[in-house]
């Protein structure tokens, strides 16, 4: 039986070197492999992509393995990681475009009167963000304050949408739910995606659904820039985690990368001299910090890792209060920043 997905994967494998040159340009071909540092396109010799071999089975062309992390997959996985595309139909469209294939035509479908950008793109993310409102006085503000966070209403990167569509895996019907919306921007300040956190009807917690958070758009290398960076920057995973640091140390320049995999790939801005990485206390967060620390050190940025007492810094804030969190941070930051961060 014909499967377009299998056909696209097979065509990508037949053009494996072209795919690697486009999406992992920091690597190079050596024999039957494309070799690069990792899926974030860093220089190195950890990730191997097989360029030749059978269409399937052991030794198949298009398969990759990262010797350092154990990650493995195919060329579609590489394209997903490098573009940040999360929706599978959009991922197939990206692969077709690389292969020079036309997008599928459905003759039985009614022709739309007006072309509309597909969901999951930066354009769709921009439409959602534009339809949202500042969070002060909304359910999003209620949600953050229930987690001990009072500064969210002052940040332009955070907004609220009262009826953001949500659908769990396996469901056929989407339902409108209130959501905290966060802008994901690039180094030029352009909106590249959004992150959605669906909320309970009273705002006292997250919605009682299987998938409570979801991102759309191009995330790789970008971040939720909660406050402008200076010559120092604090970057971590979750929005609530980074807002907790601001709660303890107002005015702290913080970004949220949204996940461990995106934390290790975040692109550092020019002019940063000292980087603080606020980790979650789990193996994924620690590995991400190691990767980002290595990248920052290579370009001369000094790095310190901030570790919470509990699972993350919001857990610390809620359990012990902001004064205890401030004192905990005082023992981890560099002496050169005591006057700036702790006032």
């Amino acid at each position: 039986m014909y499967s377009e997905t299998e056909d696209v994967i097979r065509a990508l494998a037949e053009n494996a070197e072209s795919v690697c040159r486009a999406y992992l340009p920091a690597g190079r071909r050596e024999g039957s492999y494309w070799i690069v540092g990792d899926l974030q396109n860093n220089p190195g010799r950890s990730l191997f992509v097989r360029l030749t071999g059978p269409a399937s089975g052991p030794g198949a062309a298009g398969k990759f393995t990262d010797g350092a992390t154990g990650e493995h997959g195919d060329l579609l996985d590489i394209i997903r990681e490098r573009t940040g595309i999360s929706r599978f139909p959009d991922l197939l469209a990206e692969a077709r475009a690389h292969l020079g294939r036309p997008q599928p035509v459905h003759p039985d479908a009614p022709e739309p009167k007006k072309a509309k950008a597909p969901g999951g793109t930066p354009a769709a993310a921009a439409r959602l963000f534009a339809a949202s409102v500042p969070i002060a006085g909304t359910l999003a503000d209620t949600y953050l304050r229930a987690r001990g966070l009072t500064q969210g209403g002052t940040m332009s990167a955070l907004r609220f949408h009262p009826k953001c569509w949500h659908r769990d895996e396996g469901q056929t019907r989407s339902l409108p739910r209130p959501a905290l919306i966060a802008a994901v921007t690039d180094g030029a300040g352009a909106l590249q995606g959004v992150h959605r956190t669906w909320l309970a009807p009273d705002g006292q917690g997250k919605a009682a659904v299987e998938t409570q958070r979801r991102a759309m758009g191009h995330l790789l290398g970008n971040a939720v820039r909660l406050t402008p960076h200076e010559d120092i920057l604090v970057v971590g995973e979750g929005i609530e985690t980074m807002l907790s640091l601001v709660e303890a140390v107002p005015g702290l320049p913080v970004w949220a990368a949204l996940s461990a995999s995106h934390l290790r790939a975040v692109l550092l801005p020019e002019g940063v001299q000292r980087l603080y990485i606020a980790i979650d206390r789990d193996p994924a967060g620690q590995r991400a910090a190691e990767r980002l620390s290595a990248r920052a050190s290579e370009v001369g940025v000094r790095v310190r890792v901030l570790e919470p007492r509990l699972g993350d810094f919001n857990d610390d804030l809620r359990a012990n209060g902001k004064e205890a969190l401030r004192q905990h941070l005082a023992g981890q930051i560099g002496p050169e920043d005591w006057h700036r961060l702790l006032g």
Side-chain angles (χ1 to χ4, degrees):
M1 181 179 295
Y2 173 79
S3 165
E4 191 208 0
T5 299
E6 293 179 358
D7 185 49
V8 169
I9 291 175
R10 186 180 303 110
L12 290 173
E14 292 171 354
N15 296 273
E17 184 171 351
S18 169
V19 175
C20 290
R21 289 189 181 279
Y23 295 97
L24 296 172
R28 64 177 182 176
R29 178 168 186 160
E30 293 188 18
S32 299
Y33 294 92
W34 188 266
I35 302 177
V36 69
D38 50 37
L39 283 174
Q40 285 67 54
N41 192 41
N42 290 309
R45 301 181 56 82
S46 177
L47 189 141
F48 292 75
V49 185
R50 183 176 284 275
L51 302 180
T52 61
S56 61
K63 302 293 185 180
F64 76 85
T65 300
D66 190 323
T69 66
E71 293 173 284
H72 57 87
D74 58 27
L75 293 169
L76 266 184
D77 295 318
I78 290 175
I79 295 174
R80 178 190 293 111
E81 183 69 22
R82 295 298 301 135
T83 61
I85 296 173
S86 57
R87 295 182 69 252
F88 193 72
D90 297 336
L91 185 64
L92 280 182
E94 174 75 14
R96 290 191 207 99
H98 176 80
L99 293 168
R101 293 186 172 192
Q103 300 300 327
V105 177
H106 305 288
D108 294 332
E111 183 177 349
K113 294 181 180 179
K114 185 177 180 180
K116 184 178 179 181
T121 64
R127 290 198 301 272
L128 177 59
F129 194 73
S132 304
V133 299
I135 72 169
T138 68
L139 287 179
D141 199 8
T142 301
Y143 164 74
L144 293 176
R145 288 178 181 276
R147 301 182 69 94
L149 307 170
T150 64
Q151 302 300 309
T154 67
M155 297 179 180
S156 60
L158 301 179
R159 294 174 75 88
F160 171 70
H161 197 296
K163 296 182 178 180
C164 183
W165 292 104
H166 175 276
R167 183 176 65 186
D168 270 330
E169 293 294 332
Q171 293 183 340
T172 58
R173 183 185 176 194
S174 296
L175 296 174
R177 301 182 186 276
L180 171 66
I181 309 296
V184 179
T185 53
D186 62 18
L191 191 144
Q192 295 295 334
V194 294
H195 183 269
R196 296 156 288 177
T197 302
W198 281 280
L199 308 176
D202 62 359
Q204 291 297 317
K206 299 183 185 69
V209 293
E210 182 179 347
T211 303
Q212 298 175 319
R213 304 171 185 265
R214 188 173 286 146
M216 63 189 296
H218 296 169
L219 309 184
L220 194 68
N222 302 317
V224 178
R225 290 163 166 80
L226 294 167
T227 56
H229 76 275
E230 302 172 26
D231 60 341
I232 64 168
L233 174 65
V234 186
V235 62
E237 295 183 39
I239 295 167
E240 294 89 338
T241 294
M242 303 315 294
L243 286 175
S244 298
L245 297 183
V246 174
E247 200 67 31
V249 188
L252 196 65
V254 298
W255 292 2
L258 300 176
S259 71
S261 60
H262 288 103
L263 175 60
R264 67 184 185 181
V266 70
L267 298 178
L268 300 178
E270 293 185 7
V272 168
Q273 299 175 15
R274 297 181 300 285
L275 174 69
Y276 293 93
I277 305 175
I279 67 170
D280 290 356
R281 191 174 285 280
D282 56 35
Q286 292 169 356
R287 288 196 298 269
E290 291 171 0
R291 288 288 190 92
L292 182 56
S293 294
R295 289 177 44 225
S297 297
E298 287 177 358
V299 295
V301 176
R302 286 181 287 167
V303 181
R304 284 178 179 263
V305 174
L306 305 179
E307 296 189 40
R309 288 190 173 98
L310 303 175
D312 61 42
F313 284 107
N314 192 238
D315 292 339
D316 284 8
L317 176 68
R318 296 167 74 185
N320 304 313
K322 61 184 180 182
E323 183 58 38
L325 177 55
R326 182 182 297 115
Q327 293 302 319
H328 179 62
L329 292 170
Q332 300 188 59
I333 66 170
E336 65 272 32
D337 289 320
W338 284 347
H339 69 288
R340 300 186 55 176
L341 303 188
L342 301 179

